[in-house]
Amino acid sequence: MKLTILGSGTSVPHPERASPAHWLETSGGTILLDISADAPHRMAQESLDWPGLDAIWISHFHLDHFGGLAPFLFGLRVPQAKSRTKPLRIFGPEGLRHIIETINDSNNYKLFEQRFAIEIAEVAANAGFEILPGVTANTLKTPHTKESLALRLKDEDSKPFVYTSDTGFSEDLAPFAKDSRLLLMECSFRRNKPVQKHLELADAMRVAQECAPETLVLTHLYPEWDHIDLAAEARALWSGETIEAKDGLTLGM
Ligand SMILES: [Zn+2]
Ligand SMILES: [Zn+2]
């Protein structure tokens, strides 16, 4: 698998960190992990094959993770995507179909009137499914919103990849992320987090200590991380490899 960070930030507008979006190449095709409003243009900026994207994963319905879906579907109705025939699969929590259909119907956007099929699949918490051919996925309910899910992926070529998306601390995170080649974990705050539904550094490193991923990438970074050496602070709490997510960073695994 190969991961490209498109957006390492949050809902807060930031000059260097777009809102959450991560491009993952697997043996079964490409998956966009969360689709912020910035995501459609960030895919183009990184010269990624956005008209050929195979699947989208939506972790929860906060707009910094979901706000680009309607604009992206609207954008696929253009000449650059006209040769596309394969379906686009969109996976997310229960309620996904209702929310996107409501947006579509609000102004007759014709988001589903494409030359190819759009397949929406609502996924339960703590379930397993095939996200792309030969790529298995498992979900974990996370303490963030009522629908929020973490995702664990395994393809034919690589060891498991895990994406927490937004989450508060949970004892379930480390077992879920066990034996991962790469753990992409949120680390919203440095310390004294103002809300329980996100992680601060000590929470994230407690998870890392317990599950010991080969590589830990910390993302969803609020502006309070600006000008802080996140990786150095992480190393003081866990000796494994920790990488600070940055927009445009590409990691093979
Ligand atoms: Zn978020
Ligand atoms: Zn959120």
Side-chain angles (χ1 to χ4, degrees):
M1 291 191 246
K2 185 176 158 194
L3 176 71
T4 301
I5 309 280
L6 299 175
S8 59
T10 64
S11 57
V12 181
H14 190 281
E16 287 157 22
R17 296 191 189 280
S19 293
H22 312 84
W23 178 273
L24 187 70
E25 294 166 33
T26 74
S27 63
T30 49
I31 307 171
L32 183 64
L33 302 164
D34 282 333
I35 181 162
S36 65
D38 298 320
H41 296 273
R42 288 289 299 123
M43 288 188 277
Q45 280 178 339
E46 300 295 337
S47 303
L48 298 169
D49 177 25
W50 58 266
L53 176 66
D54 291 297
I56 299 171
W57 165 252
I58 291 162
S59 63
H60 65 298
F61 302 135
H62 278 160
L63 283 168
D64 54 323
H65 298 255
F66 172 73
L69 181 58
F72 181 57
L73 295 178
F74 195 64
L76 283 172
R77 292 166 45 85
V78 295
Q80 287 93 327
K82 79 171 186 303
S83 60
R84 181 182 181 126
T85 54
K86 64 181 176 180
L88 174 63
R89 299 171 165 192
I90 306 172
F91 297 85
E94 195 177 319
L96 173 62
R97 180 180 297 281
H98 172 72
I99 197 167
I100 188 63
E101 286 184 352
T102 300
I103 293 169
N104 187 48
D105 294 344
S106 68
N107 195 36
N108 190 27
Y109 284 117
K110 300 185 169 65
L111 299 180
F112 299 99
E113 293 178 29
Q114 312 269 2
R115 293 180 179 84
F116 53 90
I118 293 177
E119 299 173 358
I120 294 178
E122 297 187 350
V123 178
N126 310 320
F129 61 102
E130 186 176 62
I131 192 163
L132 284 172
V135 185
T136 58
N138 288 276
T139 59
L140 173 72
K141 183 168 174 49
T142 52
H144 180 68
T145 61
K146 68 174 171 38
E147 78 282 3
S148 59
L149 298 172
L151 184 70
R152 179 183 175 99
L153 297 177
K154 174 82 181 73
D155 76 355
E156 290 169 351
D157 301 335
S158 307
K159 291 159 86 174
F161 164 88
V162 174
Y163 174 47
T164 65
S165 191
D166 293 3
T167 183
F169 181 79
S170 161
E171 298 287 354
D172 298 333
L173 284 169
F176 184 72
K178 199 166 174 294
D179 301 322
S180 51
R181 169 65 190 85
L182 193 150
L183 170 57
L184 179 62
M185 180 158 48
E186 81 125 284
C187 188
S188 292
F189 301 109
R190 192 176 178 205
R191 58 172 82 101
N192 303 320
K193 61 183 179 182
V195 290
Q196 290 303 308
K197 64 178 188 175
H198 281 297
L199 300 178
E200 61 185 29
L201 184 65
D203 297 327
M205 302 322 288
R206 191 175 147 198
V207 174
Q209 274 174 2
E210 284 180 34
C211 66
E214 288 183 29
T215 301
L216 172 66
V217 180
L218 296 177
T219 192
H220 204 269
L221 304 172
Y222 273 92
E224 67 176 66
W225 281 111
D226 291 0
H227 315 299
I228 305 286
D229 188 343
L230 184 157
E233 296 206 354
R235 262 194 304 280
L237 299 174
W238 177 60
S239 59
E241 183 187 33
T242 302
I243 295 172
E244 175 187 336
K246 292 197 166 129
D247 292 16
L249 179 68
T250 295
L251 296 159
M253 59 184 112

